[in-house]
Amino acid sequence: MTTSRVHITPHMHWDREWYFTTEESRILLVNNMEEIMLRLENDPEYKYYVLDGQTAVLEDYFAIKPENKQRVKALVEAGKLIVGPWYSQTDTMQVSGESIVRNMLYGMRDCLALGEPMKIGYLPDSFSMSSQLPMIYNGFDIETAMFWRGCSERHGTDKTEFLWQSNDGSEVMAQVLPLGYAIGKYLPQDEEGLRARLDKYFPVLEKPSVTKDILLPNGHDQMPIQKDIFEVMDKLREIYPDREFVMSRFEEVFDRIREERDNLDTIKGEFNDGKYMRVHRTISSTRMDIKLIHAEVENKIVNILEPLAAIAWTLGFEYHHGLVEKMWKESMKNHAHDSIGCCCSDKVHAEILNRYILADDMATNLITFYKRKIVDHMPACEGCDKLAFFNLSPYEREEVINTTITIRADKFNLFDNEGNPVEYFIQDQRVIDPGKIDRQIVHYGNYDPFIEYDIQIKYTVPAMGFTTLHIQGSQDGAQKAVKSTSEYLENEFYQISVNSNGTLTVLDKETQMTFDQVLRVEDGSDDGDEYDYSPSRQEWLLYSDEFDVDTSIKHEASSLLRPSKHA
C-alpha cells in the first residue's frame, strides 16, 4: 500500500539581490539558464523546470542573452520551462494592494509574450501573506496559491491544503510548504544521507496532508540543476518502497487537491504567524529612508500620475504607457521580499535607493509634463496668469489649499472663469531676482523683480477633474483677513491643543474622549540584525517630553499653526 505520492519538482528560487548584488546574481543566472535549457531540450524525461514564478529574472537574462529569447519561448510554449505569474517575488505586507496587482499584471503580460504563465499564486519565500491575495488572484483567473511563511494551526486548520478566502468571498485552493521550498535541494545518492534528511521530513509532510500528495521541491536559492536527480529518485524508490516518487509540476498537486475539495477546511485572513517559520515582522521599520521613498513613489504613481494621465488622455493627449511601465518596473524590482524588507547589504540598499530615485524622477517629470499640457488646454484670460487646481479623487472636494504663485506685481486679483472674485490669504511673500526666473529676461535689460506669494484659498474642485482661476497683476483682490484668536486647531470632529512639552491633547468631539501625550516620541537603540529588532541589553531611552520646548501660535485665514521647537 502506498503511503504517499512524493512530487519532485525541479526549480530555483531566485533572489535578484540580497547579501549579493543584482549583477553578481546575473553572472550565476547566465550560467544556470544555459544548464537548464540544455537539459530541457535534450532530456525528454526531465520534463519541467519552475523559474521561480517571476519574469524579472528573464528580463535580467535577456539583457545579456537576447539571442536566446526564442529558445526560452520554445521551452515555455512546450510547457517545459514554467514561468510567471509575477514580475518579481513581491512582498505582500510592505507594498500596497495596487502594487501587488501591477506586479501580477506586468508579470502575466511578460509571460504571454513567451507562452502560457503558471496560473498559481506562487510566493515561496515572502514573509507573510496579505488577506486580500485570493481576491487579487481571482481577478487574474488564478484559483490556486502556494506559499511557505506565516501559517500555523492557530489560523484554524492543521492541514497543509485548505480553501483560503478574502473578505469579499474570493477563494483559492492553498497548498502550504510546511518545511519551505528547499527541502529537496542537493539530494544525495546514498541511503544514509537521504534517510538523515527524509526520515525527519516525511512525517512532517504527510501528517497534515489531506491528499497524501506531498511536495519535495528540488531546488534552492541560486541553485543550479541537480544533474543526477533521476539516480537519486531510483535510490528513493529503493529506500522507501511504500512511497511513489514522480517528477511533476505544481499543477499536478493541485489536481489532487481539487479531488478532495469537499474535505478541505476554509480559512480567512492574513498569514503572519511565526510559530513554525520566521516572518520577520520588524522589517517594517528597517531602513526607513527607503521605506519612506517607497511610499512616496507608490503614492505619486498611483494617486497623482495615473489619474492625471487619464484626465490628459480624455483631452486628446497620449497616455504614456511605456514610461509608466518603466517606473513601475523599477519600483517592483524593489518590491521583492528581501529588497523592500531592506534586509540586504549596504551596497544592495544603495541600488534599491537609486531605483526609487529614478522612478521618482520619472514620475515627477511626467506629472509636470501632463500638468502643463492640461493647463495649456484650459481657457485663458488676456493679460492674466492661470492658477490650476487638480482633484484626483473620485469625489468632489472643498479644501483649504496652500500654494505659491510668482508674478511681477506688488498686488493681484484672483477670479474664476465667470469673473467672480475669489478670496485668498497671503501667508508670506518674497522678492525674487528675475534672473532666477528667466535668465533671458536679464539679458534684455529687464531687471524688475518678481514677487513670490504663499497663499491660502478655500475652494471646491470637481471629482477627477480640475478648475482654473485667473491672476490679474497690479489689481486689488479679495484679500482675506485673519479673524480667529483661538489657541486650538479645531473643526467639527476634533479639538487639538499643543502642550508646553511639545505633545498634543486631542479631544474627539463625537465620543468626548481625550487623548493626552499624543506625539510623545521615544528614541531607543536596536541590537538586532537586518531582519529582527531586539532591544539592547543596557537600553538608554530618550523621550521627547524630557526636553524644553518653545511653542508659538500663528493664525491664518483658514487654519491655525502652532509650531514647536525642541531646545
Side-chain angles (χ1 to χ4, degrees):
M1 179 179 176
T2 301
T3 305
S4 64
R5 183 184 294 110
V6 182
H7 296 263
I8 295 176
T9 305
H11 79 104
M12 66 180 177
H13 177 55
W14 200 260
D15 294 307
R16 296 183 66 254
E17 57 197 8
W18 182 17
Y19 57 88
F20 46 81
T21 65
T22 299
E23 296 313 313
E24 186 177 350
S25 71
R26 198 197 304 256
I27 291 168
L28 296 176
L29 175 64
V30 172
N31 177 74
N32 284 13
M33 284 295 294
E34 186 62 26
E35 286 188 355
I36 293 164
M37 290 191 293
L38 282 174
R39 186 68 181 265
L40 290 173
E41 289 166 339
N42 295 297
D43 186 349
E45 297 301 313
Y46 198 89
K47 299 179 181 180
Y48 314 113
Y49 195 91
V50 178
L51 208 57
D52 200 36
Q54 56 172 322
T55 60
V57 62
L58 286 172
E59 200 170 76
D60 289 341
Y61 178 68
F62 292 146
I64 304 302
K65 291 282 191 178
E67 67 273 16
N68 283 344
K69 190 166 186 176
Q70 286 305 313
R71 287 179 68 193
V72 170
K73 190 173 188 296
L75 289 169
V76 173
E77 288 177 340
K80 295 177 72 67
L81 187 62
I82 301 167
V83 297
W86 298 103
Y87 174 72
S88 63
Q89 274 288 323
T90 185
D91 185 274
T92 71
M93 306 297 274
Q94 307 301 316
V95 305
S96 72
E98 186 62 30
S99 289
I100 297 172
V101 170
R102 297 306 178 93
N103 199 309
M104 181 74 77
L105 177 71
Y106 286 120
M108 284 282 207
R109 199 184 68 179
D110 289 348
C111 290
L112 291 171
L114 299 169
E116 285 298 315
M118 179 174 70
K119 299 295 276 295
I120 299 171
Y122 181 67
L123 291 172
D125 199 28
S126 296
F127 299 142
S128 295
M129 295 294 119
S130 167
S131 63
Q132 293 305 95
L133 282 174
M135 180 183 69
I136 294 173
Y137 291 152
N138 284 182
F140 289 94
D141 197 28
I142 291 176
E143 299 178 346
T144 55
M146 183 179 291
F147 63 93
W148 169 28
R149 298 183 190 266
C151 191
S152 82
E153 71 280 354
R154 292 188 288 216
H155 287 103
T157 184
D158 59 358
K159 302 303 181 183
T160 51
E161 307 101 320
F162 50 85
L163 300 176
W164 179 21
Q165 290 183 349
S166 291
N167 291 336
D168 70 334
S170 300
E171 184 178 273
V172 294
M173 286 185 297
Q175 167 72 64
V176 171
L177 302 169
L179 295 174
Y181 58 85
I183 55 174
K185 66 179 180 180
Y186 301 115
L187 291 167
Q189 282 195 41
D190 64 289
E191 179 173 348
E192 182 180 358
L194 287 169
R195 282 194 175 278
R197 190 188 306 187
L198 299 180
D199 282 356
K200 294 180 295 185
Y201 287 173
F202 282 148
V204 177
L205 296 171
E206 290 168 349
K207 183 180 178 180
S209 175
V210 175
T211 63
K212 304 308 177 190
D213 279 64
I214 62 174
L215 279 160
L216 194 64
N218 178 228
H220 193 215
D221 300 3
Q222 269 71 12
M223 177 180 154
I225 63 171
Q226 181 162 355
K227 296 180 179 179
D228 65 344
I229 187 61
F230 290 121
E231 289 80 0
V232 171
M233 291 176 68
D234 287 339
K235 192 65 177 178
L236 287 169
R237 294 181 182 108
E238 177 187 323
I239 301 170
Y240 301 103
D242 56 339
R243 293 180 174 90
E244 181 183 355
F245 294 88
V246 293
M247 179 174 285
S248 61
R249 49 190 294 163
F250 295 140
E251 287 88 343
E252 294 174 44
V253 176
F254 282 107
D255 288 342
R256 284 284 298 118
I257 297 173
R258 198 169 283 109
E259 293 173 7
E260 297 289 337
R261 184 184 182 89
D262 293 343
N263 298 319
L264 301 179
D265 294 328
T266 299
I267 305 298
K268 285 189 175 183
E270 65 187 13
F271 293 99
N272 59 1
D273 190 344
K275 182 175 181 179
Y276 297 120
M277 66 290 288
R278 290 171 295 206
V279 294
H280 306 303
R281 291 192 187 186
T282 51
I283 59 167
S284 298
S285 60
T286 58
R287 287 301 301 258
M288 286 308 299
D289 57 332
I290 293 176
K291 296 291 199 303
L292 289 171
I293 193 172
H294 152 73
E296 183 179 349
V297 169
E298 230 178 20
N299 178 68
K300 192 172 287 187
I301 297 174
V302 174
N303 296 322
I304 302 176
L305 171 58
E306 293 187 318
L308 201 62
I311 291 171
W313 180 79
T314 65
L315 299 175
F317 301 111
E318 182 181 357
Y319 194 112
H320 290 285
H321 291 282
L323 291 172
V324 172
E325 178 179 344
K326 170 68 174 173
M327 61 188 79
W328 264 118
K329 284 191 168 182
E330 287 300 317
S331 297
M332 291 188 303
K333 288 169 186 172
N334 293 345
H335 293 176
H337 47 285
D338 291 316
S339 301
I340 193 58
C342 298
C343 43
C344 308
S345 68
D346 287 345
K347 193 172 184 180
V348 170
H349 287 148
E351 292 184 16
I352 293 168
L353 189 58
N354 283 336
R355 285 189 210 111
Y356 277 132
I357 290 171
L358 172 61
D360 182 67
D361 190 44
M362 291 183 68
T364 299
N365 284 289
L366 191 52
I367 287 168
T368 300
F369 173 82
Y370 277 131
K371 285 195 295 188
R372 285 176 175 170
K373 287 290 187 182
I374 294 169
V375 171
D376 286 345
H377 178 83
M378 295 175 180
C381 184
E382 187 175 354
C384 296
D385 293 312
K386 298 175 186 176
L387 177 58
F389 297 137
F390 294 88
N391 174 16
L392 304 177
S393 301
Y395 47 84
E396 181 182 86
R397 294 171 64 184
E398 183 184 33
E399 299 283 348
V400 174
I401 303 165
N402 296 292
T403 189
T404 300
I405 63 171
T406 305
I407 59 173
R408 228 172 193 167
D410 57 4
K411 59 183 178 179
F412 61 92
N413 183 25
L414 193 62
F415 56 93
D416 63 19
N417 287 330
E418 283 72 45
N420 302 311
V422 176
E423 276 192 325
Y424 62 90
F425 172 74
I426 297 178
Q427 300 167 304
D428 197 10
Q429 62 187 72
R430 297 164 295 280
V431 175
I432 304 295
D433 187 291
K436 292 183 178 180
I437 304 298
D438 187 346
R439 294 180 64 183
Q440 298 302 317
I441 294 176
V442 179
H443 290 326
Y444 291 114
N446 189 341
Y447 297 100
D448 293 339
F450 285 81
I451 300 180
E452 194 172 71
Y453 296 94
D454 297 330
I455 64 173
Q456 190 177 83
I457 303 167
K458 189 172 185 179
Y459 209 75
T460 300
V461 186
M464 268 299 287
F466 52 87
T467 192
T468 314
L469 302 181
H470 305 278
I471 306 167
Q472 177 67 63
S474 302
Q475 280 190 4
D476 291 322
Q479 189 170 340
K480 195 173 183 181
V482 174
K483 295 180 180 179
S484 174
T485 58
S486 171
E487 295 191 1
Y488 300 106
L489 180 63
E490 190 169 11
N491 60 18
E492 62 268 39
F493 304 108
Y494 298 102
Q495 183 188 83
I496 302 173
S497 59
V498 181
N499 303 316
S500 59
N501 63 3
T503 64
L504 305 179
T505 296
V506 179
L507 170 64
D508 184 325
K509 293 183 177 181
E510 183 176 350
T511 64
Q512 288 300 302
M513 291 182 65
T514 299
F515 302 90
D516 293 316
Q517 303 284 29
V518 177
L519 296 187
R520 181 175 184 255
V521 178
E522 176 185 285
D523 185 12
S525 56
D526 184 352
D527 196 26
D529 57 22
E530 69 271 33
Y531 287 96
D532 299 306
Y533 165 80
S534 179
S536 295
R537 296 167 193 166
Q538 295 181 332
E539 183 62 285
W540 178 30
L541 297 176
L542 300 176
Y543 296 93
S544 59
D545 60 349
E546 295 174 346
F547 301 88
D548 294 333
V549 178
D550 294 328
T551 64
S552 61
I553 299 173
K554 181 181 179 182
H555 292 280
E556 296 187 340
S558 300
S559 65
L560 168 68
L561 304 179
R562 186 163 185 171
S564 63
K565 179 181 179 181
H566 284 78

